[in-house]
Amino acid sequence: MAHSGALVEVLKRELRTKGVTYAQVARKLGLSEASVKRMFSRRDFTLKRLDQVCQLTNADFSDLARTLNREETLISQLTPDQEKEIASSIKLFLVAVCVLNHVAPEQIIDIYDVSQAECIQLLIKLDRIGFIRLLPGNRIKLLVSRDFAWLPDGPIQRFFKQHAHGDYVRSRFDQPDEYFVAVNGMLSVSSRATIVARLKRIAREFSELHNDAVRLPPSQRLNMTMLVAIRHWELQAFTELRRKKSTTTPGTRP
């Protein structure tokens, strides 16, 4: 993301935190709500308008820049070795996911079969790995960014495929907050690029909503896992029915 675009993303989060709506921004700028939404979508701001919107959050441009600078020092992905160490212990993986979800150590101990001493040792390991910084009083500072994601086909994703995938899809997906659909079609190059970009936006929105909810206590939040995937794929049974392409060169005898 370009630097200016990243500033706009920080501004959007500040507006959500302060409860400022697009309608309020529109009134401030003397524009229609549709124009404001388009402006945010395209990340197309003049400095004057950026400053005007900042006023709605009781912040200024320099505040946004400082927030962005802090976020850019965080990591969006771990290394394969870091992930491998986390995935090597189910309790270490559990604590890593908990702190990623902003669950405090005392809450981890209360919810899971993890003793206080064990929890502290696991947090020390995560500190050594570079996932968190363990502060005095067992306070936790995450060292990963808001758009943090596990490595594609890395140790954590492979762990999920091996141990959790079957359990995950075994659900009926018939509850109000559940959804599962499998669609099949033939897409052009541009269509494939379009749908992948939209899926990435949905994943970013999931991350943003997760970060918006961290102020709530764990009792008011529910663990949710969204599986977003698209790829070239065909049932093995279909593939086996495909005609075998000839490997002979024209003009030669088989």
Side-chain angles (χ1 to χ4, degrees):
M1 180 185 297
H3 200 73
S4 59
L7 278 172
V8 173
E9 290 302 312
V10 173
L11 178 57
K12 283 170 64 176
R13 294 202 302 269
E14 288 297 315
L15 291 171
R16 286 198 302 271
T17 300
K18 297 295 185 353
V20 179
T21 65
Y22 281 135
Q24 291 172 291
V25 175
R27 287 194 294 271
K28 175 73 173 179
L29 301 182
L31 301 171
S32 68
E33 188 172 346
S35 296
V36 168
K37 289 180 179 178
R38 188 162 52 249
M39 189 167 61
F40 272 98
S41 175
R42 295 175 178 174
R43 300 180 178 89
D44 182 18
F45 279 76
T46 64
L47 287 176
K48 180 179 179 180
R49 283 181 173 169
L50 189 63
D51 186 58
Q52 287 175 314
V53 179
C54 283
Q55 292 172 16
L56 291 171
T57 67
N58 295 319
D60 57 29
F61 185 85
S62 61
D63 293 325
L64 295 185
R66 281 193 293 270
T67 299
L68 178 60
N69 184 60
R70 285 195 301 271
E71 292 186 356
E72 288 183 336
T73 63
L74 302 176
I75 56 175
S76 59
Q77 287 185 326
L78 299 177
T79 66
D81 285 342
Q82 287 172 314
E83 282 201 5
K84 184 177 180 180
E85 185 166 0
I86 291 175
S88 67
S89 163
I90 188 63
K91 285 192 174 181
L92 184 61
F93 187 21
L94 166 69
V95 173
V97 172
C98 284
V99 298
L100 194 59
N101 288 330
H102 298 269
V103 180
E106 59 271 19
Q107 295 167 332
I108 297 173
I109 297 165
D110 183 57
I111 297 170
Y112 299 101
D113 184 19
V114 178
S115 68
Q116 182 178 20
E118 193 174 20
C119 185
I120 300 306
Q121 287 302 312
L122 293 169
L123 291 172
I124 291 172
K125 284 187 178 181
L126 291 176
D127 181 289
R128 178 175 52 77
I129 290 170
F131 192 72
I132 65 167
R133 182 71 64 237
L134 188 58
L135 304 173
N138 295 328
R139 292 177 296 112
I140 297 169
K141 176 181 173 59
L142 272 171
L143 299 182
V144 299
S145 63
R146 297 171 69 95
D147 60 349
F148 172 80
W150 302 114
L151 290 170
D153 199 36
I156 298 296
Q157 285 198 4
R158 290 197 294 271
F159 180 94
F160 176 79
K161 292 174 186 176
Q162 181 180 355
H163 298 283
H165 180 265
D167 181 60
Y168 181 84
V169 299
R170 197 174 296 126
S171 169
R172 292 171 58 88
F173 292 94
D174 56 357
Q175 298 303 308
D177 58 358
E178 296 181 338
Y179 181 69
F180 180 88
V181 63
V183 294
N184 178 262
M186 302 182 74
L187 302 179
S188 66
V189 172
S190 61
S191 296
R192 297 197 298 268
T194 296
I195 198 68
V196 167
R198 289 179 180 173
L199 290 175
K200 287 181 178 179
R201 284 201 297 272
I202 292 171
R204 285 197 299 270
E205 184 176 354
F206 181 97
S207 179
E208 290 172 358
L209 292 171
H210 157 74
N211 286 305
D212 288 345
V214 298
R215 297 183 300 276
L216 299 174
S219 60
Q220 297 181 30
R221 295 182 286 150
L222 190 65
N223 287 330
M224 300 294 290
T225 298
M226 182 177 70
L227 181 63
V228 178
I230 185 171
R231 55 162 293 201
H232 165 60
W233 180 80
E234 183 179 58
L235 281 170
Q236 181 63 29
F238 292 175
T239 302
E240 292 173 356
L241 289 173
R242 286 180 174 266
R243 294 185 184 277
K244 302 297 187 292
K245 293 182 179 180
S246 174
T247 57
T248 59
T249 304
T252 63
R253 295 173 65 91

